[in-house]
């Protein structure tokens, strides 16, 4: 039986898709699940167990972990043990440009997107234990976000975004210190490099008919996870990214060659003239013939 995948609209709303909440041994989700949104969890007190895919990790105070979209997991209490954990649920769109900036910081990228997928010697690396000094900083940021979310005073959304970005930067820095082991660095680096090599492959072979499943496999990711990471890193969807490259190449050919419009469309990867015309107009606001005429008149 498939596990539920929660839509962010069910919990976070459309206008400002963000939520911060506290879970405990008395109040927690009792089913394995996944969600469309991004989730960060910090263990503030006690001890619990996080199950992710077919692995598990015991969590204690100061542990911090990320759950990317569509990754199945469940957080459960340990028998006879109390715990308190703070969840931050959000859609990256609330800080979209800043998330793209962060995604190019290697340590943050590894912590948020790569680390939850990687095993070393069959041991999942699903958590990060925050140093004592940064535990205080993180707990202060969490309290600030909770207060802003409840009081909703003027500018509260900007305050939450600022706190969240600070939290993500701290996590990236902590992760750079955490992954000290050479085998961990090698495994995580392999996955990170595979993702960026998949992007390069698309950019270099833009004329080919790419299947999303094949490109995700190159990155060692599921289709859903790859799609989410791809959008966060590039700021656009896979198909829009590919079409942007093709249209840019088409503009170059319209500028610098005498080839016909249908031929140029084929040369840059469009097998249908109508599709080329539609995509070109969508990206530039004019048809290929209008663009060529405009450029020639300008020159």
């Amino acid at each position: 039986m498939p596990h539920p995948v929660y839509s962010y609209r069910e919990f976070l709303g459309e206008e400002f898709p963000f939520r911060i909440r506290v879970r405990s041994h008395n109040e927690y989700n009792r089913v394995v699940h996944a969600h469309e949104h991004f989730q960060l969890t910090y263990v503030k007190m006690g001890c619990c167990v996080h199950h992710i895919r077919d692995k598990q990790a015991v969590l204690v105070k100061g542990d911090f972990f990320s759950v990317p979209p569509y990754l199945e997991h469940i957080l459960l209490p340990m028998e006879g043990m109390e715990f308190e954990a703070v969840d931050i649920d959000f859609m990256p769109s609330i800080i979209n440009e800043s998330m793209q900036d962060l995604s190019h910081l290697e340590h943050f990228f590894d912590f948020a997107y790569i680390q939850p997928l990687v095993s070393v010697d069959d041991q999942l690396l699903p958590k990060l234990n925050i140093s004592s000094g940064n535990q205080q900083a993180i707990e202060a940021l969490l309290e600030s976000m909770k207060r802003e979310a409840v009081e909703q005073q003027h500018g509260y959304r900007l305050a939450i975004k600022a706190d969240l970005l600070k939290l993500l930067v701290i996590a990236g820095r902590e992760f750079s210190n955490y992954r000290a082991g050479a085998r961990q660095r090698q495994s995580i680096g392999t996955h990170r490099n595979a993702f960026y090599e998949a992007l390069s492959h698309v950019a270099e072979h833009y004329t080919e008919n790419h299947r999303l499943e094949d490109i995700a496999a190159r990155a060692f990711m599921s289709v859903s996870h790859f799609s989410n990471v791809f959008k966060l890193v590039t700021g656009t969807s896979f198909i829009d990214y590919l079409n942007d490259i093709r249209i840019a190449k088409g503009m170059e050919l319209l500028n610098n060659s005498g080839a016909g419009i249908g031929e140029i469309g084929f040369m840059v990867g469009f097998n249908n003239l109508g599709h080329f015309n539609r995509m070109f107009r969508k990206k530039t606001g004019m048809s290929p013939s209008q663009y060529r005429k405009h450029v020639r008149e300008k020159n």
Side-chain angles (χ1 to χ4, degrees):
M1 182 176 177
H3 299 299
V5 177
Y6 301 132
S7 165
Y8 79 91
R9 294 176 181 87
E10 296 178 55
F11 303 102
L12 309 185
E14 291 274 8
E15 196 172 344
F16 188 64
F18 170 90
R19 176 179 66 174
I20 184 167
R21 59 177 178 160
V22 177
R23 287 192 287 173
S24 70
H25 52 286
N26 293 320
E27 186 176 350
Y28 59 93
N29 192 334
R30 289 168 166 78
V31 298
V32 176
H33 62 278
H35 30 68
E36 286 183 319
H37 55 269
F38 199 90
Q39 185 177 81
L40 300 168
T41 298
Y42 174 78
V43 181
K44 192 174 179 181
M45 183 200 78
C47 186
C48 53
V49 182
H50 188 216
H51 298 262
I52 182 167
R53 297 190 299 182
D54 58 343
K55 308 292 183 183
Q56 69 178 45
V58 175
L59 305 176
V60 298
K61 174 176 167 49
D63 280 346
F64 189 51
F65 63 89
S66 66
V67 181
Y70 300 102
L71 196 61
E72 292 182 346
H73 73 119
I74 186 172
L75 189 68
L76 297 173
M78 296 183 69
E79 187 174 353
M81 301 288 288
E82 297 183 354
F83 81 92
E84 184 177 300
V86 182
D87 279 350
I88 302 171
D89 299 312
F90 67 99
M91 289 296 287
S93 58
I94 69 169
I95 49 173
N96 192 45
E97 291 183 5
S98 299
M99 282 292 283
Q100 289 173 50
D101 291 340
L102 282 167
S103 68
H104 293 289
L105 298 177
E106 178 180 303
H107 302 310
F108 169 78
F109 184 81
D110 290 348
F111 167 72
Y113 306 119
I114 302 300
Q115 168 250 10
L117 306 177
V118 175
S119 296
V120 176
D121 292 336
D122 293 326
Q123 296 299 308
L124 194 70
L125 309 174
K127 66 175 184 176
L128 172 63
N129 191 261
I130 303 296
S131 62
S132 57
N134 274 333
Q135 283 185 34
Q136 294 178 7
I138 285 178
E139 289 173 16
L141 288 168
L142 294 174
E143 287 303 315
S144 175
M145 281 187 275
K146 281 196 288 185
R147 184 173 60 254
E148 293 288 351
V150 170
E151 295 178 357
Q152 295 192 4
Q153 295 185 32
H154 180 69
Y156 80 95
R157 292 178 180 177
L158 285 174
I160 287 173
K161 290 179 187 181
D163 287 342
L164 181 55
L165 283 169
K166 178 68 173 176
L167 180 67
L168 294 172
V169 169
I170 290 173
R173 290 174 177 172
E174 286 276 334
F175 190 70
S176 69
N177 297 324
Y178 163 77
R179 52 163 212 177
R183 298 192 67 182
Q184 291 180 12
R185 286 199 303 271
Q186 181 179 5
S187 182
I188 291 172
T190 296
H191 281 70
R192 183 195 332 109
N193 293 340
F195 174 80
Y196 283 108
E197 285 169 6
L199 263 65
S200 297
H201 177 80
V202 173
E204 291 169 10
H205 301 274
Y206 61 89
T207 62
E208 298 177 8
N209 290 323
H210 294 291
R211 293 193 328 143
L212 183 57
E213 295 87 346
D214 296 334
I215 302 302
R218 279 180 170 270
F220 306 146
M221 293 180 179
S222 69
V223 170
S224 57
H225 188 60
F226 176 79
S227 295
N228 279 281
V229 177
F230 190 98
K231 189 163 187 179
L232 291 169
V233 170
T234 65
T236 189
S237 68
F238 173 76
I239 191 63
D240 282 343
Y241 177 83
L242 183 57
N243 282 335
D244 283 346
I245 294 172
R246 289 172 171 173
I247 296 303
K249 297 295 183 181
M251 292 169 70
E252 289 179 18
L253 291 171
L254 287 165
N255 286 343
N256 303 319
S257 82
I261 289 172
E263 184 181 358
I264 288 174
F266 180 78
M267 290 166 66
V268 298
F270 292 99
N271 295 326
N272 180 286
L273 177 58
H275 189 206
F276 177 51
N277 284 330
R278 285 192 300 275
M279 289 299 102
F280 197 96
R281 184 179 291 278
K282 180 181 177 183
K283 301 295 181 184
T284 67
M286 60 184 78
S287 69
S289 58
Q290 288 171 330
Y291 175 80
R292 174 175 265 174
K293 181 181 179 184
H294 174 73
V295 169
R296 287 178 177 175
E297 287 174 349
K298 225 168 109 179
N299 295 334

